[in-house]
Amino acid sequence: MANLLILMLVAILWFFLLVSGVYMIATRKEHSDRSRLFFGIFSLVSSYALLQKMFFMLRAEEIQDYYYVLSFREICFGLLCRYLFTLYPVEVARPNWLSARHIYGGFVCLTAIVGLYGLLFHFHETPLHTFNDLLLNIDKPDVVARLLMLCLMFPYEFVWTIYYDKKHSSAGQPWLRRTTFVVSLIVVMFIGNMLTRSVAWRSLHAIIYLIYPLYVLYIELFVRIPVPQMPQLPSKPAPQVQVSSTTNGNSAGHTSELQRKVRQVVEEEELWREPDLLLNDLVRAVSSNRTYVTQAIQDMGYTGFKEYINNLRVNYIRQRLQEPEHERIQDLFFEAGYRSRGAAWRNFTAIAGCPPTIFEEQAQNK
């Protein structure tokens, strides 16, 4: 019964990977980077591997007979999917950084590893049915070789942070952390599955593997802002933000030295465009502390740091939308420093009093 449940999970996973792969490749031109193309290829290759797995499982007299610990075939497919797995987040973190030399180099390395195993052992593998079999045969060269191949699967997602280009990436640090966690979890589940073949490890691996394409589809459909496809028009500074009625009455002539520094760094040097901008970044830029900087922002008429930055971003978008020729709304979101469609839309509506599409229509009709 448990093994039939595994077969059902694999079938569901195959279906979702196939659908997500076809969708990603069909809509790949919506982004100027190749992230959707890479994820689509990964999904289709994974769905093919799962289709093979279902075929062998259905042909086996007992489904359990299909499973072997440290299966060479599955380790090879795992390494391939692992490599394809990595292309998507790297492309999102640093758009168009991956060259053909990088991509082909990875495939050459994988081919060399598989070829070396075949050269040394003629693709022979000692059958291992349980973890105890693995321990009893740990001294055999082919078992050691497969263990070393499995070691290549260990999580190394932290390297994505090295290539993260926050100014040009269409994803923020929260996306990077979540994706790193989910992919690392899938890899750990795969390693546990390869070493034990227990029902628990297989189920967890299938479930988490199912969650990931759904998570990516959600991000692509509702969260991530596409990297602008067309060359950006000449950038303009954010217009002076009208201080709301919450101002404490301080006049411009009595602006403190700290307020002057904050305005210089944020508005003149356009720090507000930084996608992952935090209060601590501003504090370091003006060589002060959180309390004084927050007080300076409040003295300018804002409730806090976030309202100040969002007002600058929204007013920049409003200014551009009033021009006869301007970029798409999503491209303006990207230019202004937003990396979430929901956050950009919500802040614009709250500050401007209407959604950006209505504001654009009203501006063009004037």
Side-chain angles (χ1 to χ4, degrees):
M1 184 66 181
N3 290 319
L4 291 176
L5 176 62
I6 296 296
L7 180 59
M8 291 177 60
L9 284 173
V10 170
I12 295 172
L13 177 57
W14 167 81
F15 173 76
F16 277 106
L17 282 172
L18 182 63
V19 171
S20 64
V22 171
Y23 172 79
M24 287 295 186
I25 291 178
T27 60
R28 66 189 183 279
K29 293 185 178 180
E30 292 183 9
H31 285 246
S32 61
D33 61 20
R34 300 158 298 174
S35 55
R36 290 194 174 186
L37 175 63
F38 288 151
F39 188 81
I41 293 173
F42 156 75
S43 298
L44 293 180
V45 170
S46 297
S47 65
Y48 171 75
L50 290 174
L51 190 63
Q52 259 199 339
K53 177 180 287 191
M54 287 190 293
F55 175 75
F56 284 114
M57 290 170 70
L58 291 172
R59 286 190 59 187
E61 294 182 3
E62 294 288 341
I63 292 181
Q64 186 66 35
D65 292 341
Y66 166 75
Y67 292 102
Y68 289 99
V69 170
L70 283 182
S71 166
F72 175 73
R73 182 189 67 256
E74 290 208 39
I75 290 177
C76 290
F77 267 118
L79 287 173
L80 176 60
C81 292
R82 178 78 171 96
Y83 176 67
L84 296 174
F85 223 177
T86 308
L87 297 180
Y88 169 74
V90 170
E91 180 68 12
V92 174
R94 196 176 186 89
N96 299 312
W97 175 80
L98 286 169
S99 64
R101 180 170 55 87
H102 293 131
I103 298 171
Y104 294 145
F107 282 114
V108 169
C109 291
L110 291 177
T111 304
I113 292 170
V114 175
L116 182 60
Y117 183 93
L119 183 65
L120 294 175
F121 306 109
H122 305 288
F123 297 104
H124 167 75
E125 55 180 312
T126 303
L128 307 170
H129 296 276
T130 64
F131 184 71
N132 288 333
D133 291 343
L134 171 61
L135 295 178
L136 292 174
N137 293 276
I138 195 68
D139 57 333
K140 294 188 176 181
D142 70 295
V143 176
V144 175
R146 281 180 281 159
L147 280 172
L148 291 175
M149 291 176 66
L150 191 64
C151 287
L152 298 175
M153 296 288 297
F154 275 94
Y156 50 81
E157 276 64 38
F158 65 91
V159 301
W160 298 346
T161 59
I162 299 174
Y163 300 108
Y164 179 54
D165 183 356
K166 64 181 181 181
K167 287 188 177 181
H168 300 98
S169 173
S170 59
Q173 287 282 4
W175 171 89
L176 197 66
R177 290 192 294 268
R178 288 193 297 267
T179 303
T180 298
F181 174 76
V182 173
V183 175
S184 299
L185 198 58
I186 291 174
V187 171
V188 170
M189 294 298 107
F190 178 83
I191 293 172
N193 186 26
M194 288 291 99
L195 292 176
T196 64
R197 287 303 196 181
S198 69
V199 173
W201 280 107
R202 278 181 273 160
S203 301
L204 287 173
H205 179 249
I207 292 172
I208 297 174
Y209 212 101
L210 173 61
I211 291 173
Y212 184 70
L214 296 177
Y215 164 74
V216 172
L217 283 174
Y218 168 76
I219 293 295
E220 292 292 332
L221 289 173
F222 303 111
V223 177
R224 188 173 163 227
I225 298 175
V227 177
Q229 299 179 1
M230 301 297 293
Q232 296 180 0
L233 297 177
S235 177
K236 298 182 179 180
Q240 182 68 32
V241 179
Q242 297 297 323
V243 178
S244 63
S245 59
T246 59
T247 180
N248 61 5
N250 287 357
S251 64
H254 295 88
T255 301
S256 68
E257 179 66 17
L258 182 56
Q259 289 177 6
R260 186 191 66 78
K261 288 183 179 180
V262 168
R263 288 190 181 278
Q264 178 182 352
V265 170
V266 176
E267 299 178 29
E268 296 179 20
E269 299 178 14
E270 298 189 340
L271 188 66
W272 55 271
R273 289 181 183 269
E274 294 291 330
D276 297 312
L277 183 64
L278 299 173
L279 176 59
N280 287 337
D281 299 325
L282 178 57
V283 168
R284 285 191 294 268
V286 299
S287 303
S288 184
N289 61 51
R290 293 173 61 93
T291 302
Y292 288 154
V293 171
T294 300
Q295 185 60 53
I297 292 174
Q298 290 175 347
D299 288 344
M300 290 190 292
Y302 306 101
T303 58
F305 170 77
K306 289 185 177 180
E307 185 189 23
Y308 177 40
I309 299 301
N310 283 321
N311 268 271
L312 288 169
R313 290 175 173 175
V314 169
N315 276 273
Y316 170 78
I317 298 171
R318 290 168 65 181
Q319 182 192 51
R320 299 306 295 267
L321 289 176
Q322 291 173 2
E323 297 175 358
E325 295 184 4
H326 58 78
E327 300 93 323
R328 299 180 308 167
I329 291 176
Q330 290 194 14
D331 293 347
L332 292 175
F333 286 166
F334 186 91
E335 284 185 41
Y338 286 114
R339 293 299 181 266
S340 168
R341 275 179 273 183
W345 201 276
R346 184 171 58 252
N347 286 315
F348 187 98
T349 303
I351 295 171
C354 62
T357 49
I358 296 178
F359 183 90
E360 179 186 30
E361 182 180 349
Q362 293 174 347
Q364 297 304 317
N365 290 335
K366 287 183 179 179

